[in-house]
Amino acid sequence: MTARRNRPVKARATGLLAGVLLTMLAGCTAPAGSGWVIYNHRLDAYNPEARNYAASRGGMLLELPNNPFAASDQELGAVIADMLYGAPSGQDFPFFTEAEKPDGYASPYRLVVLLDATPGAKSEIVCREPGQPVATDPLQMRVLMALCIGDRLMSTASGAVARPDRPRSLPLSNLLRRMAYVIMPHYDPNQDDSRRANWLD
């Protein structure tokens, strides 16, 4: 009798677990037209102190080596900086281009955002050679984002979104903000799981 009563519960639990796994897989493989996707996330040399230091210096330098929009470079920089504002922490964390950086700003950290990155764009060298080849796909925009300290890569992620027709696009904003958060998380990826839990939001 007890075993029979437990069967529906086990079946429901199994079904729920399968549903969660399918949802996760769908999120990883969703086509660009459905929103955004992030993949190839690397945190090889990242430490949360990088983000904290940048915040203490008033924000982080933003580099946009490529402009696929009709907007001017200055307008694109302003829009992307506005999109990314607060993304790594949810707090007062601005980004600014070289033209807009505050007087006296000095920090070795910068965020490189390569729009229309080729599928083979090399994240390993984007910090020292941001002018990577680009390729325009009529259906989607590939993005490569790298957190750099000087010419050295700290962390990176790449993603894709349905091609926006203008810089101020909600799907593009969602993609960039999420990418900024995942390459500058609150936890230290070099710690073991038991210690890492203390860094989670």
Side-chain angles (χ1 to χ4, degrees):
M1 192 75 159
T2 304
R4 281 190 196 141
R5 262 201 308 266
N6 285 342
R7 271 183 208 149
V9 174
K10 288 179 182 176
R12 283 196 299 271
T14 302
L16 179 60
L17 179 59
V20 169
L21 290 174
L22 285 172
T23 301
M24 290 172 65
L25 288 172
C28 292
T29 59
S34 68
W36 47 268
V37 60
I38 295 173
Y39 49 95
N40 295 341
H41 176 208
R42 289 177 48 194
L43 290 165
D44 292 349
Y46 176 77
N47 185 302
E49 290 305 313
R51 189 193 61 178
N52 299 339
Y53 178 82
S56 74
R57 305 301 296 175
M60 186 175 290
L61 189 64
L62 171 67
E63 288 189 11
L64 297 163
N66 181 48
N67 181 357
F69 298 101
S72 67
D73 291 351
Q74 184 175 1
E75 181 182 354
L76 175 63
V79 169
I80 301 300
D82 185 54
M83 286 177 174
L84 289 171
Y85 184 90
S89 62
Q91 299 173 348
D92 184 14
F93 194 112
F95 291 85
F96 32 78
T97 60
E98 182 70 31
E100 300 295 330
K101 71 179 182 181
D103 291 338
Y105 174 81
S107 171
Y109 298 105
R110 57 199 171 94
L111 188 71
V112 179
V113 179
L114 180 60
L115 303 174
D116 271 341
T118 63
K122 297 185 181 301
S123 58
E124 293 82 0
I125 63 173
V126 72
C127 290
R128 63 179 185 269
E129 296 178 22
Q132 296 294 301
V134 295
T136 302
D137 184 322
L139 298 181
Q140 66 177 0
M141 176 179 286
R142 295 186 187 91
V143 180
L144 176 63
M145 182 180 287
L147 174 64
C148 308
I149 176 169
D151 291 339
R152 184 165 64 91
L153 176 69
M154 294 197 71
S155 62
T156 184
S158 51
V161 67
R163 175 159 295 280
D165 58 2
R166 61 189 185 282
R168 196 170 290 282
S169 155
L170 183 58
L172 180 59
S173 177
N174 287 341
L175 173 68
L176 295 180
R177 290 183 63 81
R178 183 60 183 164
M179 289 176 75
Y181 184 82
V182 301
I183 70 172
M184 286 184 274
H186 292 205
Y187 67 86
D188 187 341
N190 299 308
Q191 294 182 348
D192 60 40
D193 290 342
S194 62
R195 296 175 64 198
R196 182 185 300 180
N198 297 325
W199 290 86
L200 295 177
D201 297 335

